[in-house]
Each structure stands twice: as C-alpha cells, then as structure tokens.
Amino acid sequence: MNESGHQVLMEQDVLRRRLDDGDLPDWARKHYETFRETMLGDRDGAPFPCYFGIESERNGDALYTFVDSMTDKDALLALRDTLLEYLDVYPDYSEACSLVAFFKPPAEDLTEADYHEHLWHVLQFLHVNDPEPWPADIPTDPDDPKWEFSFGGEPMFPTTRAPFYDERVSRYCPWGLEITFQPRALFDGITADTEAGQKAREVIQNRIEEYDGVCPHADLGDWGVEGDREWPQYMFSSDESQAPDECPIRITREHPKVPMAPADD
C-alpha cells in the first residue's frame, strides 16, 4: 500500500500529500477534489445523501486508486491487483473501509449507454481475471435476488458516479467513471432486516429527495429481498432506453478462467 505512482492503493493522507506535491496527474486531482467536495459539501443546504460516505471521507476511512483507462488491459490488470490488495487489508484498516476507484476521463464525450457498457466491461474483466473462484453461496444468475458481484472470494456492492446524470446529482461526476467497491461485510448490522438498517435507509432516502430534488430511483432496493435486484443499482439509469434490459455480465464457476501470470522472483 502507498507505493509510488497513482495506479496503486493509497490512504487518504498519502493521496492528499501527493496532490499537494504535484505527484499525481491533473485529471486525478480534479477527480478526487470533486469527490471530496461532494462528500463534505452540500447542495442548497442539503448534505450528500449517504452519511456513511460523508463520515468515511471525513474520518479518512476509505482507500483510493486511480485507473488509467476503462478498456486498456494493463490498466485493468493494475486495478485487479489493487482490488486484491484492498481485500487483503481492509478488515484491519477500518470498519468503514471502501475502495474508491477514479478512472481517467475519456478522450471524447460518451453517452449514458457507453458508460453502462464500460462499467460492465470492467466488472466482466475483473471476473474473468479473478484468481479466486466465485463464492459457493452466491448465485451466478444476476436475476436471483441474492446475486452480488463478487471478486477475490468476497461479495461486494460496487456503486458508480458518472457524467451523464442531469437530475440525479448525487450520482454525478463531471470527469468520468467512478466506482466505489464495498464488500458485503461492511453492511453487517445495517442490512434491511435490522432496525438499524431500516432506519439508515429511511434517512438516506429522505436525503436523496432533498439533495437530488427527485424521488429515489425505482431500482433502489435491498440485497436478498424478493423482487429487488442488485445489478441495476450499480449504475442507475437516467434514460431507460440507454440502460441494459438484462445484466450484461456472464458469470461462471469455472476456475481459473485465465492463466495467472507468474509472480516476479
């Protein structure tokens, strides 16, 4: 952790020091500064809806990385390695330790459909290059209410922000794709079947209406609840005609799916 460069796993204080020293690309600075301002600022007096995200940024609980491309193999392999390192360290780092991945802005403007395609390409790439088998207790069919994207043997909830959101500003990021990876273990004690979880959802949904000025998205739901599905929540649609009707990822329990490169001596 905290190795040199920007496609590595970084703590908040290291990230901010590198930004102050000019050691990160300009696009990385814009991405992170916008993220931090969103988490800790407000919109017409309304705070960001997810108070867990606010506290994580305020307390330095999260870890971060930057990714040079949404499509380049080497950039995505670097993300795979960073995500594996994150999964190794997060349980001892913080009880609220998510991984925020900022992707280099594309060279040209992209449509909403493009961003959906890129997100699922990233997740499919991670799945195919996962060194661990798909968890035995997680279904492989995304149409199962207990399906969850998994990597490194851990179910996780990746949420995104992107430039195409007009009204749903809590999901808006002007620079490009942003994915926050949250292992399912971070939700222990605040799931939908707990009193704390129900209260948290009520607070967050009320704050969504106040912050975005629109009702919570129709696809907002809970893992394992009949009728709810996880995959549409990873990147909420703004224009339904540009969003996939079916989950684009293809999951297999076949393992390994690709040969792993030998470790350096």
Side-chain angles (χ1 to χ4, degrees):
M1 188 160 62
N2 297 321
E3 292 89 351
S4 60
H6 61 279
Q7 293 195 106
V8 297
L9 189 65
M10 282 180 274
E11 298 172 286
Q12 187 187 101
D13 60 344
V14 172
L15 168 55
R16 297 180 69 180
R17 183 170 66 249
R18 290 181 182 179
L19 289 175
D20 290 341
D21 293 343
D23 293 336
L24 297 178
D26 186 57
W27 66 264
R29 176 185 60 79
K30 291 177 179 177
H31 244 314
Y32 174 69
E33 289 182 351
T34 299
F35 172 82
R36 183 170 175 82
E37 290 168 3
T38 300
M39 292 298 112
L40 301 185
D42 62 69
R43 183 169 185 258
D44 298 329
F48 188 75
C50 182
Y51 57 84
F52 297 115
I54 294 173
E55 290 302 302
S56 176
E57 182 63 25
R58 179 178 290 137
N59 297 333
D61 289 330
L63 295 171
Y64 310 86
T65 192
F66 298 92
V67 188
D68 274 340
S69 172
M70 295 181 288
T71 57
D72 178 74
K73 178 181 177 181
D74 290 338
L76 295 182
L77 285 174
L79 173 62
R80 177 202 64 181
D81 294 344
T82 300
L83 189 51
L84 287 170
E85 183 181 5
Y86 159 76
L87 291 174
D88 186 52
V89 304
Y90 89 87
D92 298 321
Y93 188 80
S94 163
E95 292 182 353
C97 182
S98 56
L99 171 63
V100 186
F102 304 99
F103 288 75
K104 185 176 182 178
E108 57 187 23
D109 291 340
L110 300 179
T111 65
E112 175 178 347
D114 293 330
Y115 276 104
H116 285 287
E117 181 178 349
H118 282 305
L119 168 66
W120 290 105
H121 172 75
V122 170
L123 297 182
Q124 184 75 68
F125 184 96
L126 291 172
H127 173 61
V128 170
N129 291 277
D130 189 348
E132 299 294 331
W134 189 260
D137 58 343
I138 299 297
T140 59
D141 181 3
D143 198 39
D144 190 302
K146 290 190 176 181
W147 182 87
E148 180 83 281
F149 176 73
S150 300
F151 180 80
E154 290 213 33
M156 60 179 63
F157 185 64
T159 59
T160 59
R161 302 199 310 144
F164 63 81
Y165 292 101
D166 296 324
E167 291 186 328
R168 204 165 297 281
V169 290
S170 59
R171 293 283 182 146
Y172 173 70
C173 172
W175 308 113
L177 180 64
E178 172 190 305
I179 305 178
T180 299
F181 294 93
Q182 302 169 89
R184 176 58 50 189
L186 295 185
F187 297 93
D188 288 349
I190 53 170
T191 50
D193 56 350
T194 66
E195 183 177 350
Q198 293 170 7
K199 182 176 180 180
R201 282 156 179 74
E202 181 180 358
V203 171
I204 289 172
Q205 291 187 20
N206 288 338
R207 288 170 62 157
I208 287 174
E209 290 196 55
E210 185 177 4
Y211 189 89
D212 287 349
V214 294
C215 295
H217 199 282
D219 288 329
L220 184 63
D222 292 297
W223 180 73
V225 174
E226 191 61 40
D228 290 347
R229 296 294 181 267
E230 284 288 281
W231 68 267
Q233 301 182 64
Y234 296 169
M235 178 176 279
F236 283 137
S237 63
S238 180
D239 177 356
E240 290 186 2
S241 68
Q242 296 197 53
D245 294 326
E246 297 180 354
C247 185
I249 201 169
R250 295 296 176 262
I251 303 298
T252 176
R253 294 194 187 276
E254 178 186 349
H255 184 76
K257 291 172 280 298
V258 296
M260 294 295 293
D264 295 333
D265 294 333

